[in-house]
Amino acid sequence: MVTGWLDQAAASQTVCVSLSDGGLVKPVEEATVTCYVNGKEVATVSVAPETRQHYNSILLNYQDPAYYKQLPVTFSASLKSGDKVKLTIEANHGTYRASSQELTVPEPVEITRVDTTRVTVMHPDWSDTYLQVRADVPDRKGEDNWYCITLREISDGTYSFQDGGPDVSITLDVSRSIQDIDDPVLLDGGMGQEDLNIFSFSGNGSFACFTDQLFRDGTAHLKMNTFSSWDDEGPDFLLLSDLLVQQIGYEWIESRGLERCRAEHRLEVRLSHCSQEAYHYLRSLRTITSEGYYPEIVEPVTIPTNIVDGVGFVEVVNTAVARIDLPAEERIGIKDIFGWEESLNE
């Protein structure tokens, strides 16, 4: 089983490899991924589980358990619009072989007039507060287009020490979960025919996607409601500090005398131009993760695959990013930074 979401703008690309058996996900012993661009081999990388590098591994507690059984393989490949990309994958030293279909890097997109506000949704006995994000999306003219959108919350923590030595910086990059009722709402349009369902398919916001059928050759005015990733507003000092401890260790922090942390905080709105196949793939995932999906009474959902001699889905997208700076915060002393007063070793 192979999954990957390649981005034209990214410095490196990652695909995850695992074995599937009777609906279960099993880890592989070793995986090799080769990337071809326009028929030319540009990268070959082999990875074993003991050598894998987790990005922000402290966040694994927030991942689906199947994540632990997927082996990420990261490689570098320079991509531009119109390139033809194909991957070949081997697992367990050539025992299993698969490849992706040939993918075309899509044309670039724009995202403009991004803004945020706080909204409160009232329920009979309680209320929820959301961060509402609004954005304009000018459609690419004269063609059919499919889009997906994600929100990322990023905190950059800068740590100062009593010994006067150099500061240490840590970056925490986390996806927000879009909790809107449907896909991003078109403020000046109606509901597309394909979205008319008798069931409530609110779905998982991680798979938010839409087409240009309601704003063809025009501009979509979107809004999305999302809960914060954190229990409190602003940067998550606890997770930032956990990453700091992972990188430099308890003893080194104590020996230098941790004094203060200043955390910059921003939100990234990421709009990706994707293929029609990727749009249907995301729609399928969105449906089966929705609260209104009841497999015993709903038609079976087909999950698209573009892997030859295997299952899974690999896509290459072109992404536009809009950044919104949120208020920075500062904490002083171990008690405020880590949430405790005692020695870090106790």
Side-chain angles (χ1 to χ4, degrees), residues 211-229:
T211 75
D212 65 351
Q213 83 174 49
L214 293 180
F215 61 100
R216 187 68 52 83
D217 295 339
T219 297
H221 306 288
L222 307 181
K223 72 174 180 181
M224 298 151 284
N225 292 335
T226 176
F227 287 118
S228 174
S229 313

Side-chain angles (χ1 to χ4, degrees), residues 18 57 87 92 120 126 143 151 201 208 218 256 274 323 335:
S18 59
S57 57
L87 303 180
N92 293 359
T120 300
W126 78 95
E143 58 187 73
L151 304 179
F201 288 148
R256 293 195 58 191
C274 62
R323 295 177 176 87
K335 177 181 178 181

Side-chain angles (χ1 to χ4, degrees), residues 4 46 60 74 113 119-120 171 205 241 245 254 272 288 299 316 336:
S46 297
L60 289 178
T74 300
R113 295 184 60 183
V119 296
T120 300
T171 296
S241 299
V245 170
E254 283 197 310
S272 296
I288 64 176
E299 289 291 331
V316 58
D336 288 335

Side-chain angles (χ1 to χ4, degrees), residues 106-110 137-148 186 194 209-220 271-280 315 318:
E107 297 298 320
V109 289
E110 290 183 82
V137 178
D139 190 31
R140 289 188 55 82
K141 298 184 183 300
E143 58 187 73
D144 296 330
N145 295 288
W146 298 270
Y147 303 98
C148 61
L186 306 183
E194 63 186 343
C209 54
F210 57 99
T211 75
D212 65 351
Q213 83 174 49
L214 293 180
F215 61 100
R216 187 68 52 83
D217 295 339
T219 297
L271 176 77
S272 296
H273 192 199
C274 62
S275 66
Q276 183 179 20
E277 292 76 14
Y279 168 78
H280 289 303
E315 171 68 351
N318 208 320

Side-chain angles (χ1 to χ4, degrees), residues 78-142:
S78 178
L79 304 176
K80 62 181 184 297
S81 299
D83 281 348
K84 305 294 184 181
V85 181
K86 184 175 182 178
L87 303 180
T88 61
I89 305 97
E90 294 186 3
N92 293 359
H93 308 284
T95 303
Y96 303 95
R97 289 184 172 90
S99 64
S100 71
Q101 296 176 0
E102 189 174 72
L103 310 170
T104 301
V105 181
E107 297 298 320
V109 289
E110 290 183 82
I111 182 169
T112 61
R113 295 184 60 183
V114 177
D115 200 2
T116 62
T117 187
R118 288 287 170 188
V119 296
T120 300
V121 177
M122 301 300 299
H123 302 279
D125 300 316
W126 78 95
S127 63
D128 287 324
T129 300
Y130 296 84
L131 175 68
Q132 185 174 102
V133 180
R134 298 192 178 204
D136 288 356
V137 178
D139 190 31
R140 289 188 55 82
K141 298 184 183 300

